[in-house]
Amino acid sequence: MTVPGRRSSTFIRLLRSGFTDPSAAARLLDTEALAAVRADPVLLDALGATADPDLALRGLVRLAEAQPSGELPGLLDTLVSAKPLRDRLLGVLGASEALGDHLARHPRDWIDLVTYEAADLHPGLPEFERGLADAHDPVALRVAYRRCLLSIAARDVCGTIDVAQTAAELADLATATLRAALRIATAAAPEDAALCRLAVIAMGKCGGNELNYVSDVDVIFVGDAANGANGAGGANGADEGKALQAATRLASHLMRICSETTVEGTIWPVDANLRPEGRNGPLVRTLASHLAYYQRWAKTWEFQALLKARAVAGDEALGTDYIDAITPLVWQAAERENFVPDVQKMRRRVVDNIPAAQVDRELKLGPGGLRDVEFAVQLLQLVHGRSDATLHSGTTLDALHALAAGGYVGRADAAQLHDAYRFLRAMEHRIQLYRLRRTHLVPEDENDLRRLGRSMGLRTEPVAELNKAWRRHASVVRRLHEKLFYRPLLDAVAQLTPGETRLSPRAAGQRLEALGYADPASALRHLEALASGVTRKAAIQRTLLPVMLGWFADSADPDAGLLNFRKVSDALGKTPWYLRLLRDEGAAAENLARVLSAGRLAPDLLMRAPEAVALLGDPEGLAPRTHEALVQEVLAAVGRAENPETAVAAARGVRRRELFRTAAADIIGSYGTEDSPAEEDHGALVDRVGGAVSDLTAATIAGALRAAVQAHFGDTLPTRFAVIGVGRFGGHELGYGSDADVLFVHEPREGVDEQEAAKAAQTVIAEMRRLLQLPTADPPLLIDADLRPEGRSGPLVRTLASYAAYYRRWSLTWESQALLRAEPVAGEEELGRRFIELIDPLRYPAEGLGEDAVREIRRLKARMESERLPRGADPTLHTKLGRGGLSDVEWTVQLMQMRHAWAEPGLRTTRTREALAAAHAAGLIPTDEAQILDEAWVLATRVRNAVMLVRGRAGDTFPSEARELAAVGRYLGYAEGTVGELLDDYRRITRRARAVVEELFYGARAVVEELFYGG
């Protein structure tokens, strides 16, 4: 029995230690469970150091009383002898009533805290997955989840991990839990799992690796048939329907596992309402269905939400495909009409919907709350992340740091936002940790505020200090939010012509916007940089800019034109000839304006060698150079180089310059200028581009071949060697982004062993490929030899005799068809000529093709149509494999060549349009039908060239983004606002071409043959 004096002494000590109810604490210390340690001063001090000593003591007593027989001494001994574990255990008990309840139900779980004995040991996703590995039912999963949560909370409240690490670990634990829940759902329905692929995409704070203790885990589900090919095809409609039904059942079960409440509580609700069409849309969609929705129907806020999307569970490949597919859409969202006003309205709507009684306590949504920071950061990310990949982070603090590093946010402002956001998130964490409830309201009860303040390290006057710090940080957030979110990205401060009455910044911005500039503030910044000052450079540019702004405005992307002009001027502005060229050569300035605003490819090429702008002022500067001149220049540069690397770098430099020449001529020929209208003969323009790029590719390969031979064999290779262009390369029809399809042939020199010769040829090919693929700023040139005999399974290079033997014994019809566009492009001319002599009888068979071979070609084409068109692609708009596209026209022409070239010499050409014209001249195709096929082929080729010019990367379909699509239309001669007409015209022209193809290639007779002879 405690004596009165001792009781009074204990009471005072408990009061000083932070207990609010010393009498109740004294009674708890007198319980039998704590008899062995009740007098230990270490325990009392440790309890007093917690956020709520009374709560910690109550939890400790419950834990002690729940210990299995014989295990209590171990707990008590740890409490007095192992400080790190004692601090973690008591810290959790003093901060979380809910985790105290968990420990009372599972009294041995405290031992798991020993796992994290080292202060610097932070479990990640693999550790959490191991912690959940034995959970094979929902109840066991809830228990294991709380056990893992206990480890995070223990290190959080003790300061071992900071608020950002805590949030990241909570997101890792959520990821592990979703995977475990899907595993349980799959085990419960293996027949469903066998039918489908299911990917779980985390959104919101889980996707951003910044989760709360208690928060809905937002997800999107992507499904596909089990035999689907990376979400892009491979399943028929019935398979897909069954797969989606199975995937929906699995996804629903996963959600129930995580969301249902039992005696062990709820893990957290899984919320799939961010999916397309929200709760009214299907729970699971295919990747193609997601993309169709985002490309046609999605609202601005949906792209903002996708900024944090992250694949976390299920089919890894499908999840990766989803992220890869939607990421470009996210970073194009800022180009949507009314993007910034939409985001601003959404933010105001969130604040307006907070109940009036709660607005002052709303930590997340209220003014100066967490959402203010997140919205401001996300807006700046979406605006500037289009051109700066360093901003592509779903984590708020990481994105804020990147914005500061990139100069988009002042460093002082970023530091204040950083500190405020961390403080507010820490408050949110500790509020939720108490009872593991989803809330963002700051409590009103004095005891709750006291516990919250102490948990934040505020011990002198915890309630007063907490309120003061909270209001201070909220005020900072609100002030900076308004500054960053609503203020124009840049004040309009351009001062163009001194001495004149200037437009106000507002009026200047409105005028630029009316001209089509999407970002008037940036435009004004560029104008100021270009035209301000008293230098000769500024004076000349002041005279140039008014008319150049009009030329830029006449393009689909005026902002890009002005920005690129500034970049070129920054690079060349001090070069005397540059400004003189633009001022004095009438066409140079307009040509430059057209090139800089037509897309990405030409400006990118120019930025790597700005001096190439001189080509735009030379009347002959845009004329393509001959193949002989290109080869001569490249070989001379290679001969002067000290090593193969510098040799090929020189060759690639020539290629870069000549690609710019070709692209600039193409753009100017398509757009036209005041002095030179747009070229009407689109076929001639296409032929010029295809020939120029093909000649340039051949010269580059010749240079790489010379460099490879010199590096390993000196002047003479032990074997004669030739490169044969095939496909579009051999047909002089390469586009800007085309690979170089080739065959390699060699022939041992006199006295050289055949194996030695073959080894030498292999060495040269490997060196050529290595050199051409070295990472540089120049556009890549990929050599593709997959059309060789036996494809990828066959040897990379053969002797002429080996080719002859193969073609004599094994050649298939499709291989003969592939040889129709074979032409020597590099190496020994005589060997190349003999190769052509070898293959001519194959590609132009005497008496033409037999009917069996014709049927084989038709079957192969039909199979290609059904299998190779990408899933989800619109067959009416796919330029290569779609209806009436390149493949349709080329196969039709090639079939005529193989059937009739033995008798019609004009058909013996590698070029599609030449062969089509020869077929018409020979009476094999009527005039109208020949014109229809030619028009479709030229249009499809122009679209592919336009996509590459506009986007800077190859593509076989029209861009989905409005400004890029408008730029493609502008290249094709369509005025602003007439993109719909472009797509209608393309569909009409290719539909007519397809009708001709069905008659000429397949034909009514072919249909009869298929029916009566078994196809």
Side-chain angles (χ1 to χ4, degrees), residues 781-828:
L781 175 57
L782 300 180
I783 294 179
D784 188 340
D786 288 350
L787 290 178
R788 65 187 183 269
E790 301 178 82
R792 295 181 181 179
S793 302
L796 193 59
V797 60
R798 291 174 181 262
T799 63
L800 190 63
S802 176
Y803 274 106
Y806 175 85
Y807 288 136
R808 184 172 57 252
R809 298 185 60 190
W810 308 110
S811 178
L812 301 175
T813 303
W814 73 264
E815 292 179 294
S816 298
Q817 184 181 352
L819 292 172
L820 282 169
R821 294 198 283 187
E823 181 172 293
V825 294
E828 296 211 9

Side-chain angles (χ1 to χ4, degrees), residues 638 641 643-654 700 703-705 707-708 767-768 770-774 778:
V638 168
N643 55 59
E645 288 77 14
T646 56
V648 170
R652 292 174 72 174
V654 173
T700 307
L705 174 59
E767 180 69 355
M768 288 173 61
R770 182 186 74 84
L771 292 171
L772 289 172
Q773 293 175 10
L774 288 174
D778 295 318

Side-chain angles (χ1 to χ4, degrees), residues 95-425:
S96 178
E97 184 178 74
L99 289 178
D101 292 342
H102 172 84
L103 285 170
R105 289 193 304 271
H106 304 279
R108 301 190 80 253
D109 278 6
W110 69 271
I111 299 173
D112 277 30
L113 297 179
V114 178
T115 305
Y116 310 109
E117 188 72 32
D120 60 347
L121 180 58
H122 308 310
L125 179 58
E127 186 66 36
F128 291 133
E129 289 192 300
R130 284 190 289 272
L132 304 179
D134 294 332
H136 300 298
D137 60 74
V139 174
L141 181 59
R142 287 173 175 78
V143 174
Y145 172 83
R146 291 292 174 92
R147 188 180 303 123
C148 293
L149 191 66
L150 178 67
S151 72
I152 297 175
R155 288 173 295 110
D156 176 21
V157 299
C158 291
T160 304
I161 54 178
D162 65 15
V163 64
Q165 291 170 313
T166 300
E169 288 193 10
L170 288 168
D172 282 342
L173 177 55
T175 297
T177 305
L178 288 169
R179 294 178 181 180
L182 182 57
R183 184 186 71 237
I184 294 171
T186 299
E191 66 284 356
D192 284 341
L195 286 173
C196 68
R197 303 162 67 206
L198 177 65
V200 184
I201 310 298
M203 306 285 285
K205 282 186 162 53
C206 183
N209 285 294
E210 51 186 10
L211 196 62
N212 301 326
Y213 275 104
V214 185
S215 176
D216 290 355
V217 170
D218 297 307
V219 300
I220 285 176
F221 294 108
V222 188
D224 193 9
N227 62 339
N230 293 329
N236 60 40
D239 289 341
E240 183 178 285
K242 292 178 181 178
L244 289 180
Q245 292 174 5
T248 299
R249 289 190 291 270
L250 290 177
S252 299
H253 193 183
L254 178 154
M255 295 175 69
R256 290 196 302 274
I257 290 171
C258 295
S259 305
E260 288 179 347
T261 302
T262 68
V263 66
E264 296 294 342
T266 301
I267 299 177
W268 18 249
V270 176
D271 188 343
N273 288 338
L274 289 179
R275 66 186 184 269
E277 301 181 80
R279 64 184 63 191
N280 296 321
L283 183 63
V284 181
R285 289 176 182 257
T286 62
L287 175 55
S289 177
H290 276 96
L291 289 177
Y293 174 84
Y294 288 128
Q295 290 166 348
R296 297 189 61 188
W297 308 112
K299 297 179 174 61
T300 297
W301 71 264
E302 293 177 277
F303 293 106
Q304 186 176 357
L306 286 169
L307 191 150
K308 294 180 179 290
R310 179 170 62 94
V312 294
D315 190 283
E316 184 176 347
L318 183 57
T320 299
D321 288 345
Y322 176 88
I323 297 300
D324 289 345
I326 63 98
T327 295
L329 302 180
V330 172
W331 300 110
Q332 294 165 3
E335 299 168 4
R336 294 165 61 92
E337 187 175 0
N338 297 321
F339 165 75
V340 173
D342 284 349
V343 177
Q344 293 172 342
K345 288 177 185 176
M346 182 169 60
R347 174 66 189 119
R348 287 193 292 269
R349 190 161 53 246
V350 168
V351 175
D352 292 343
N353 289 336
I354 302 173
Q358 297 180 359
V359 68
D360 290 336
R361 296 191 297 119
E362 178 54 76
L363 191 66
K364 176 181 179 182
L365 304 177
L370 292 162
R371 189 55 59 84
D372 272 354
V373 181
E374 293 163 355
F375 262 63
V377 169
Q378 289 167 22
L379 173 63
L380 292 173
Q381 281 184 275
L382 290 171
V383 169
H384 298 295
R386 293 171 290 174
S387 57
D388 188 346
T390 65
L391 305 181
H392 293 189
S393 172
T395 305
T396 301
L397 288 177
D398 291 347
L400 180 58
H401 174 76
L403 286 166
Y408 305 105
V409 176
R411 293 189 181 276
D413 290 346
Q416 291 186 56
L417 275 181
H418 177 271
D419 293 344
Y421 188 74
R422 287 171 62 91
F423 183 88
L424 296 175
R425 284 302 303 273

Side-chain angles (χ1 to χ4, degrees), residues 853-870:
V854 172
R855 279 198 296 271
E856 181 183 344
I857 291 177
R858 287 171 174 157
R859 287 194 205 105
L860 185 60
K861 175 70 166 67
R863 190 174 72 196
M864 184 179 72
E865 289 179 10
S866 64
E867 295 178 358
R868 290 184 59 189
L869 188 71

